[in-house]
Amino acid sequence: MFKGLKPISYGGREVWPLVEGGKGVSATNHASAGAWAAAGGIGTVSAVNADSYDAEGKIIPQVYRALTRRERHEELIQYAIEGAVQQVQRAWDIAGGKGAININVLWEMGGAQRVLHGVLERTRGLVAGVTCGAGMPYKLSEIATQYNVSYLPIVSSGRAFRALWKRAYSKAQELLGAVVYEDPWLAGGHNGLSNAEDPLQPQDPYPRVKALREVMREGGISDEVPIVMAGGVWYLRDWNDWIDNPELGQIAFQFGTRPLLTQESPIPEAWKARLMTLDEGDVLLHRFSPTGFYSSAVRNPFLRSLEARSERQIPYSTESAGDHTFQLDVGVKGRNFWVTRNDLLRAREWFGLGYTSALKTPDNTLVFVAEDEKAVIRKDQADCMGCLSQCQFSSWADTETNSTGRLADPRSFCIQKTLQDIAHGGDPEENLMFAGHAAFNFKKDPFYSNGFVPTVKQLVDRILTGD
């Protein structure tokens, strides 16, 4: 047992202060979450478009048959509720009364509030708490109160928590189970990096977590309410100074990336194998996500193609003005595209390399893509099923008009399509592969030598030693 680490009280029982990070789509499910809870920790079922099963136990493909985006959005919500309910029920059975089961949602996913109500209504007594980030989930406490479950907001700064506390959470203090601090420079998936922070200048998490605890104390929140450190957590020995530290109060630790590589982890074998090849620096903090948030993923060919697409980009004007005095003569129909001389030459070069279509962006720029790439972009935009509250890629919005009012952005991608694909056997090189920045440890950590893949119980036992 790592020195100083003690169980905490959560959901009416004692559990290890070790949380399995929820990862959608389908990268944490009943098998991983149930096993994590059975090992004495807090397992997390991703309730982001989770899988459901037929009578034979086979995954039901999420196929969208409706003709309109709004109707497909309704299909998506029904899939999401049914899938998460089945996952929670199965996780509960696997846990066998040990640990605790949380569910995780993104506040900015399409229909987030309806999904939460639908799942919590049908899983009363099974779910201990709800973790929620990717946005400012003001109504999370109100929803949690209706079902008497804990809520665990995910924030990346004390300032964000202060806003949530003042607006809503102070009215439901007794159900605040923990506050998850997600390090925006180290965590995998979407994060809360603000426009005021430099993605290339990581900040030490200690003073930021200390500031978060000070904000919590201002609100009269007990030091017994844990702050869960998430992002960059691999060895507990690296966090020795955080445990039993009166400046920080009770600290728990969330593991998002390490649980991907276990026998119970539902991700395909090819994805697991790829994780074991990663080197330091192979995970990129980027802003291609259609949510508009920063996120971190493996810099594979999928991500590199998005980088390259955005590099084949030039600004334009609809009339001759300033430096924009040259008419663009490649990639566009019509004559109302004025560019600089240098950009005209770059556009002609791209055209000659096969990037023959120029697509408008919401920022008055053009990106040059190949014809087959254009076809995929347009089809994916047309097939949108409203998986986000607002999508920059398709311009969908979960509002009465179902539109953001902005031009659909071809520099992004359909996130539902790629996350479903990679989770169900698609090529890890040609899909978005979320990972935290400590993933290179799979290759370096002797625990995984000779291709060893542990069970969740073996992993939790290993973590508890400090390694």
Side-chain angles (χ1 to χ4, degrees):
M1 185 60 52
F2 190 66
K3 56 184 179 181
L5 195 73
K6 296 186 290 286
I8 60 172
S9 177
Y10 178 75
R13 63 185 66 176
E14 281 200 339
V15 300
W16 290 117
L18 307 177
V19 183
E20 175 195 28
K23 298 172 288 294
V25 169
S26 299
T28 45
N29 71 352
H30 68 276
S32 62
W36 194 274
I42 301 173
T44 307
V45 166
S46 170
V48 182
N49 296 106
D51 289 329
S52 52
Y53 305 91
D54 64 19
E56 297 177 352
K58 295 178 181 176
I59 293 173
I60 298 172
Q62 297 187 11
V63 178
Y64 296 88
R65 296 182 171 85
L67 297 179
T68 69
R69 294 202 293 187
R70 168 50 66 183
E71 290 171 319
R72 291 194 294 271
H73 176 69
E74 293 300 318
E75 290 180 291
L76 175 127
I77 288 174
Q78 294 312 309
Y79 277 132
I81 293 172
E82 184 60 37
V85 168
Q86 289 191 29
Q87 295 293 339
V88 168
Q89 291 168 339
R90 288 170 175 238
W92 175 264
D93 290 342
I94 292 169
K98 297 177 182 174
I101 300 292
N102 281 353
I103 61 173
N104 176 67
V105 296
L106 282 78
W107 194 246
E108 292 300 332
M109 74 183 196
Q113 294 180 56
R114 290 174 60 191
V115 171
L116 273 176
H117 280 293
V119 175
L120 293 172
E121 178 63 43
R122 292 172 56 188
T123 57
R124 289 179 183 269
L126 307 184
V127 173
V130 181
T131 56
C132 183
M136 292 291 278
Y138 290 110
K139 292 190 177 179
L140 181 62
S141 56
E142 178 186 320
I143 295 171
T145 300
Q146 291 183 45
Y147 302 96
N148 195 34
V149 299
S150 296
Y151 63 99
L152 300 84
I154 302 172
V155 298
S156 291
S157 68
R159 186 182 64 172
F161 181 75
R162 179 182 280 114
L164 291 166
W165 179 258
K166 286 187 173 179
R167 180 163 166 182
Y169 294 176
S170 58
K171 303 182 186 74
Q173 180 172 346
E174 67 285 352
L175 286 174
L176 179 65
V179 179
V180 181
Y181 172 78
E182 184 182 59
D183 188 307
W185 291 277
L186 294 176
H190 292 103
N191 63 64
L193 194 70
S194 74
N195 290 329
E197 292 161 332
D198 187 343
L200 301 177
Q201 295 291 326
Q203 294 181 22
D204 179 359
Y206 187 95
R208 293 170 68 92
V209 171
K210 181 171 175 281
L212 171 59
R213 177 61 75 186
E214 288 165 0
V215 170
M216 292 169 67
R217 287 169 178 154
E218 286 171 18
I221 301 168
S222 166
D223 275 12
E224 294 299 307
V225 176
I227 293 175
V228 181
M229 177 61 206
V233 180
W234 195 273
Y235 304 115
L236 285 184
R237 54 180 156 83
D238 293 339
W239 305 87
N240 182 49
D241 295 343
W242 291 50
I243 298 169
D244 275 342
N245 183 330
E247 273 194 331
L248 301 180
Q250 178 66 56
I251 293 288
F253 298 93
Q254 179 166 300
F255 294 81
T257 299
R258 279 192 87 169
L260 284 171
L261 194 58
T262 64
Q263 292 182 29
E264 294 90 343
S265 168
I267 68 173
E269 292 304 314
W271 187 351
K272 291 181 182 180
R274 183 70 176 93
L275 289 171
M276 300 181 89
T277 70
L278 296 176
D279 293 313
E280 194 163 3
D282 280 353
V283 174
L284 178 71
L285 177 60
H286 66 90
R287 208 170 189 177
F288 294 113
S289 170
T291 61
F293 297 128
Y294 282 95
S295 65
S296 288
V298 174
R299 196 176 178 210
N300 59 4
F302 176 84
L303 212 49
R304 288 180 187 275
S305 71
L306 289 168
E307 290 180 283
R309 187 188 301 171
S310 276
E311 286 166 5
R312 295 190 304 272
Q313 181 173 194
I314 56 173
Y316 72 92
S317 173
T318 55
E319 55 188 34
S320 178
D323 294 336
H324 291 69
T325 55
F326 293 81
Q327 270 188 319
L328 186 62
D329 55 10
V330 291
V332 293
K333 294 177 181 177
R335 303 173 61 83
N336 294 325
F337 296 90
W338 297 84
V339 298
T340 67
R341 181 179 183 278
N342 189 46
D343 284 345
L344 175 61
L345 297 176
R346 293 168 72 208
R348 287 173 176 172
E349 181 183 356
W350 296 329
F351 188 88
L353 292 171
Y355 303 106
T356 53
S357 277
L359 304 180
K360 290 181 182 178
T361 80
D363 299 319
N364 293 323
T365 63
L366 296 166
V367 291
F368 280 74
V369 299
E371 291 301 320
D372 58 345
E373 195 176 6
K374 174 185 175 182
V376 171
I377 291 168
R378 292 301 188 224
K379 183 178 190 311
D380 288 351
Q381 289 171 333
D383 289 347
C384 173
M385 73 296 288
C387 76
L388 300 174
S389 62
Q390 293 191 64
C391 176
Q392 294 184 354
F393 176 66
S394 69
S395 76
W396 155 271
D398 190 5
T399 59
E400 286 186 13
T401 63
N402 297 148
S403 172
T404 61
R406 286 172 60 81
L407 197 64
D409 195 336
R411 296 168 296 187
S412 189
F413 57 93
C414 176
I415 196 164
Q416 182 73 203
K417 173 188 170 185
T418 187
L419 292 182
Q420 289 284 1
D421 193 41
I422 192 172
H424 297 102
D427 186 350
E429 296 301 311
E430 299 301 331
N431 282 294
L432 182 69
M433 185 170 25
F434 280 143
H437 289 257
F440 66 90
N441 281 304
F442 284 126
K443 194 174 180 179
K444 294 176 61 177
D445 188 336
F447 184 54
Y448 302 96
S449 59
N450 300 315
F452 177 66
V453 177
T455 64
V456 167
K457 178 69 165 63
Q458 288 171 324
L459 174 60
V460 171
D461 287 348
R462 176 78 169 190
I463 289 169
L464 286 170
T465 70
D467 285 335

